[in-house]
Amino acid sequence: MKKLLLILLLLLQIPMTGSNQSEDPSSKKIIGTWYVDANRSTKWVFSQDGRVYNYVNDVFKVMYRYTISHSCQNNSDDTIEYITLMDREGNEFCFRINGINVNKNGILSLTKMDNMEILKFVNNLNIMAGN
């Protein structure tokens, strides 16, 4: 009986893995500083309060409000996440989220939906995002 109890206690110590384990949502993974891969002097700083601040050469340029959802503008898909940026005048900019720090690679990949341009960001200046 003591062995059975010991085995049960050991099993409870093992972290559960599998489909029950959920990863952080995109709204949590995007928080922090992201440098534009093609121009490392430009950075976007995403805050928890739904704001993103744009800097060039550490000089503040513009602030947007952002939301992450399964739709933006004329795009909607239950399997795709989009980020919408809105400026002070109410202009909206729609991006498809291709990946945020997938396998902790330090890369944020977005597609700007109006021209299908792929934008890559890194969360560490030493990371090489490549193509």
Side-chain angles (χ1 to χ4, degrees), residues 34 96-101 107-111 118-121:
W34 295 94
R96 181 178 65 222
I97 299 174
N98 303 319
I100 304 173
N101 204 17
I107 298 172
L108 166 63
S109 176
L110 304 174
T111 299
I118 294 177
L119 303 172
K120 286 195 178 177
F121 299 81

Side-chain angles (χ1 to χ4, degrees), residues 33-78:
T33 300
W34 295 94
Y35 301 90
V36 175
D37 186 44
N39 180 5
R40 303 287 176 102
S41 64
T42 300
K43 66 183 175 184
W44 290 10
V45 180
F46 288 87
S47 64
Q48 290 180 337
D49 66 357
R51 296 177 187 191
V52 59
Y53 302 88
N54 177 268
Y55 296 86
V56 177
N57 294 319
D58 291 324
V59 176
F60 172 76
K61 294 296 180 185
V62 66
M63 184 273 295
Y64 299 96
R65 293 220 173 255
Y66 74 90
T67 56
I68 295 176
S69 67
H70 290 286
S71 64
C72 73
Q73 295 176 344
N74 298 326
N75 306 288
S76 180
D77 189 319
D78 289 341

